[in-house]
């Protein structure tokens, strides 16, 4: 399953007792978090989803024990061919012949997905590094992990398949350290702590994640208070796992959602300050270079829109 890391998506499942009777489209939406239920239904219509080696006849098919579900393609091949190089500014923090680290701007989608094939980081990378196009017909060439559209900060990209595979293995082994800065609502009482709660799709809203024991994966987030204000707290967070929306979901769960988060928080900052996105920034990155063995440690300061908030502590 594709979460914050970009391991190749699973495409075949054998149905166990816990999923017997589940609708096909609901099951696959839970397994493939990059696709909406409507996209799954379109793939069924296209004959791209097989049940026991035969094209599924309907999205609402009730799964049976030991059914073999196979997704032949997650994205139509025509969509892959339409992913073109687009020259866009990139803030390159580190670069060598094997990998790149980008300081991603808020508002930029990392990779193409159904309904959004242009103006992504991948489009910009293809323009600057044409060799990435040779990485098979892949909508995520070189991408090792993701950041949400409105989260800024450090993002690791590989320039070849060998480096990508090595970095993904480091990610799986929790050997890549990612730290974030987040301004959250309310005053956090503990100086430091950990949030250990599994995350999966919200059954009431498939576009959101939630803490659940159903079709979920373990998720652990560590936090440390950097600054307390009258109504808010600035946190330094480190991910032990990389689930979709992990920080945002975990902070909501402890009653301190990220300031400005429209999905898991109030969507705005109060007390006279305006913020047009969530206050979440991928601040530090530490990993071992797969080729040289050197330890790479990088830091990206808060962008201007977030720093300007902290520069007015009287409103916080």
């Amino acid at each position: 399953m594709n979460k914050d890391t970009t391991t190749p998506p699973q495409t075949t499942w054998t149905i166990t007792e816990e999923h017997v009777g589940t609708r096909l489209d609901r099951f696959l939406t839970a397994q493939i978090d990059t696709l909406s239920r409507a996209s799954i239904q379109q793939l069924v219509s296209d004959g791209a989803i097989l049940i026991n080696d035969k094209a599924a006849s309907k999205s609402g098919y009730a799964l049976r024990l030991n059914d073999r579900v196979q997704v032949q393609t997650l994205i139509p091949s025509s969509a892959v061919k339409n992913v073109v190089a687009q020259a866009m500014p990139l803030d390159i923090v580190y670069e060598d012949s094997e990998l790149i680290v980008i300081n991603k701007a808020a508002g930029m989608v990392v990779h193409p997905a159904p309904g959004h094939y242009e103006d992504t980081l991948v489009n910009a990378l293809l323009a600057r590094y044409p060799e990435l196009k040779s990485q098979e017909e892949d909508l995520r060439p070189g991408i090792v992990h993701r950041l949400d559209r409105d989260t800024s900060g450090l993002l690791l990209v590989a320039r070849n398949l060998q480096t990508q595979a090595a970095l993904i293995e480091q990610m799986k082994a929790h050997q890549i350290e990612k730290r974030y800065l987040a301004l959250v609502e309310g005053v956090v009482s503990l100086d430091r702590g950990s949030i250990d709660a599994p995350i999966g799709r919200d059954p009431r809203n498939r576009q959101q994640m939630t803490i659940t024991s159903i079709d979920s994966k373990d998720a652990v987030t560590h936090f440390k208070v950097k600054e307390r204000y009258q109504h808010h707290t600035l946190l330094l967070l480190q991910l032990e796992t990389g689930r979709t929306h992990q920080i945002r979901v975990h902070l909501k769960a402890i009653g301190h959602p990220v300031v400005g988060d429209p999905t898991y928080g109030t969507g705005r900052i109060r007390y006279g300050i305006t913020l047009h996105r969530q206050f979440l920034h991928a601040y530090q990155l530490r990993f071992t270079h797969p080729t040289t063995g050197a330890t790479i440690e990088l830091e990206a300061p808060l962008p201007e829109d977030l720093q300007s908030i902290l520069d007015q502590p009287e409103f916080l």
Side-chain angles (χ1 to χ4, degrees), residues 122-191:
V122 163
N123 297 106
L125 287 169
L126 290 175
R128 188 178 179 102
Y129 306 100
E131 69 270 19
L132 291 174
K133 190 64 176 177
S134 65
Q135 293 190 22
E136 305 176 346
E137 289 195 338
D138 187 2
L139 286 175
R140 295 177 285 271
I143 300 299
V144 176
H145 62 109
R146 295 188 298 117
L147 292 176
D148 295 338
R149 177 174 186 161
D150 287 327
T151 298
S152 55
L154 297 173
L155 189 74
L156 185 55
V157 180
R159 296 182 67 171
N160 56 66
L161 289 171
Q162 294 77 15
T163 300
Q164 185 179 27
L167 290 171
I168 287 173
E169 284 305 310
Q170 284 191 42
M171 192 77 70
K172 287 181 179 179
H174 310 305
Q175 295 170 347
I176 295 180
E177 295 181 11
K178 298 182 291 180
R179 296 187 182 92
Y180 295 72
L181 287 173
L183 186 69
V184 301
E185 298 180 16
V187 179
V188 178
S189 58
L190 294 175
D191 289 339

Side-chain angles (χ1 to χ4, degrees), residues 26 37 200-206 208 210-212 214:
R26 289 186 180 276
R37 189 173 172 189
R201 285 282 165 189
D202 187 335
R204 294 169 296 182
N205 186 337
R206 304 302 299 180
Q208 296 183 20
T210 190
I211 291 176
T212 177
I214 302 172

Side-chain angles (χ1 to χ4, degrees), residues 45-58:
S45 299
D46 292 342
I49 296 179
L50 306 183
I51 303 290
N52 301 324
D53 299 319
K54 295 182 180 180
S57 59
K58 57 183 180 179

